[in-house]
């Protein structure tokens, strides 16, 4: 058993789980850190899909009571059907655009330099959004309307560009469209479930031939690390945004992105191409 490979799996699993639901781009971090660790071969593609699945299951577990209530209430409760309907509407823009542009984006944009640039730009956008004065009109997910879900869904579609951050795009979009911080974050978490499940199933289908039994220990380590880190991240993030803005995440993105760009510009790190 390759202990170094297991260590890489542990690191990347923690990175995925800790960053998936924060507005700092988990995909971007996996691309950059995977490149630094030298874990960017074909097997790593499937590995990243597996640890993303673990992060999805973490948020499902955290909100299991709400999800069970919705599932059991679908036959009889209009509120449950409305909730699911909003998730479907929010999911559609990313689903349609993803089917059209998924392969092209992965081929051209999945590299550390694109990610670093998107991190910086996204950080500047967050700073701009946070400087505005807001008067939220929606303080609970159940108060959202169909149009609100659709607008947040289009914001989520921007995250197909690696480094943008799915949660960052949906939360910032939610704030702009009148959602409170907590509501924007929670809807982002709920919207992640169908979006990420669909992306995971699609990626597994596209890369099915890369699955190998001998990779199971590596995948297991990454899966467990991602699940545990994801649980921690969801709980901590909700508590954090109750009393803080997203400015700290904006500056983190900008500094991290500029460091990567500097290492590329001065030739200190030989980053891989798309």
């Amino acid at each position: 058993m390759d202990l170094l490979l297991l260590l890489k799996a542990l690191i990347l699993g923690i990175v995925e789980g800790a960053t998936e639901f924060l507005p700092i781009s988990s995909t971007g971090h996996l691309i950059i850190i995977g490149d630094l660790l030298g874990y960017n071969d074909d097997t790593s593609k499937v590995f990243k899909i597996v640890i993303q699945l673990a992060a999805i299951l973490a948020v499902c577990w955290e909100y299991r009571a709400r999800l069970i209530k919705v599932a059991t209430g679908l036959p009889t409760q209009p509120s449950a059907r409305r909730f699911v309907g909003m998730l479907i509407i929010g999911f559609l823009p990313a689903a349609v655009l993803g089917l059209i542009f998924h392969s092209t984006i992965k081929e051209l944009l999945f590299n550390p330099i694109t990610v670093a640039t998107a991190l910086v730009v996204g950080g500047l956008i967050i700073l701009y959004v946070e400087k505005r004065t807001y008067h939220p009109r929606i303080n609970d997910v159940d108060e959202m309307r169909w149009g609100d879900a659709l607008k947040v869904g289009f914001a989520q579609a921007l995250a197909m560009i690696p480094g943008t951050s799915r949660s960052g795009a949906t939360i910032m979009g939610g704030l702009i469209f009148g959602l409170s911080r907590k509501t924007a974050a929670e809807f982002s978490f709920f919207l992640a479930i169908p979006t990420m499940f669909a992306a995971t199933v699609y990626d597994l289908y596209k890369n099915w031939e890369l699955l190998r039994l001998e990779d199971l220990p590596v995948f297991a380590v990454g899966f467990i690390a991602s699940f545990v880190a994801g649980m921690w991240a969801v709980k901590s993030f909700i508590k954090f945004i109750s009393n803080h803005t997203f400015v700290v995440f904006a500056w983190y993105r900008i500094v991290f992105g500029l460091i990567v760009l500097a290492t590329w510009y001065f030739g200190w790190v030989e980053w891989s191409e798309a």
Side-chain angles (χ1 to χ4, degrees):
M1 186 176 296
D2 190 336
L3 294 180
L4 180 59
L5 188 57
L6 290 177
L7 178 60
K8 292 179 181 180
L10 177 64
I11 293 171
L12 290 172
I14 293 173
V15 168
E16 163 63 23
T19 60
E20 180 61 53
F21 305 105
L22 305 183
I24 56 177
S25 180
S26 62
T27 300
H29 279 70
L30 287 179
I31 291 172
I32 290 173
I33 295 175
D35 210 59
L36 283 173
L37 294 175
Y39 191 48
N40 50 11
D41 57 7
D42 286 340
T43 302
S44 73
K45 296 178 182 178
V46 182
F47 172 79
K48 291 169 184 175
I49 297 169
V50 169
I51 60 177
Q52 178 177 276
L53 175 61
I56 308 170
L57 295 178
V59 79
C60 288
W61 179 256
E62 180 61 22
Y63 286 97
R64 61 191 181 280
R66 175 67 182 269
L67 295 175
I68 291 172
K69 181 180 178 181
V70 169
T72 55
L74 277 175
T76 58
Q77 297 177 10
S79 60
R81 292 194 290 269
R82 183 175 178 277
F83 177 79
V84 172
M86 282 198 305
L87 290 184
I88 293 173
I89 289 174
F91 163 72
L92 283 177
V96 174
L97 294 173
L99 285 174
I100 297 172
F101 298 111
H102 179 272
S103 298
T104 302
I105 289 174
K106 279 212 165 186
E107 181 181 349
L108 298 178
L109 301 181
F110 269 56
N111 63 80
I113 306 309
T114 299
V115 167
T117 303
L119 284 172
V120 174
V121 172
L124 293 174
I125 291 174
I126 292 175
L127 290 179
Y128 168 75
V129 171
E130 286 290 7
K131 284 187 176 181
R132 299 177 55 177
T133 301
Y134 292 100
H135 302 285
R137 58 181 174 79
I138 300 172
N139 294 297
D140 190 273
V141 171
D142 290 331
E143 297 176 10
M144 291 178 63
R145 299 173 298 189
W146 305 111
D148 299 319
L150 184 62
K151 287 185 284 189
V152 173
F154 274 109
Q156 176 178 248
L158 296 173
M160 290 190 297
I161 301 172
T164 300
S165 171
R166 190 206 60 79
S167 61
T170 52
I171 292 172
M172 290 300 109
L175 292 182
I176 292 172
F177 302 137
L179 279 63
S180 68
R181 293 181 186 279
K182 187 172 184 293
T183 303
E186 288 192 338
F187 189 68
S188 174
F189 294 161
F190 289 130
L191 190 55
I193 296 172
T195 303
M196 293 168 62
F197 262 122
T200 298
V201 170
Y202 181 75
D203 277 335
L204 279 176
Y205 169 75
K206 296 283 285 186
N207 296 282
W208 188 258
E209 71 281 358
L210 298 177
L211 287 174
R212 299 180 304 177
L213 186 61
E214 56 264 36
D215 292 324
L216 184 59
V218 176
F219 287 8
V221 168
F223 185 95
I224 294 171
S226 178
F227 182 86
V228 174
M231 287 281 294
W232 169 83
V234 171
K235 291 181 180 179
S236 302
F237 188 51
I238 289 295
K239 291 179 181 178
F240 180 85
I241 62 174
S242 299
N243 303 299
H244 300 83
T245 68
F246 296 105
V247 169
V248 64
F249 298 110
W251 283 114
Y252 170 82
R253 292 175 62 110
I254 292 169
V255 171
F256 185 36
L258 288 177
I259 289 173
V260 174
L261 290 174
T263 61
W264 166 72
Y265 181 80
F266 292 108
W268 297 335
V269 177
E270 188 175 344
W271 297 104
S272 64
E273 299 179 356

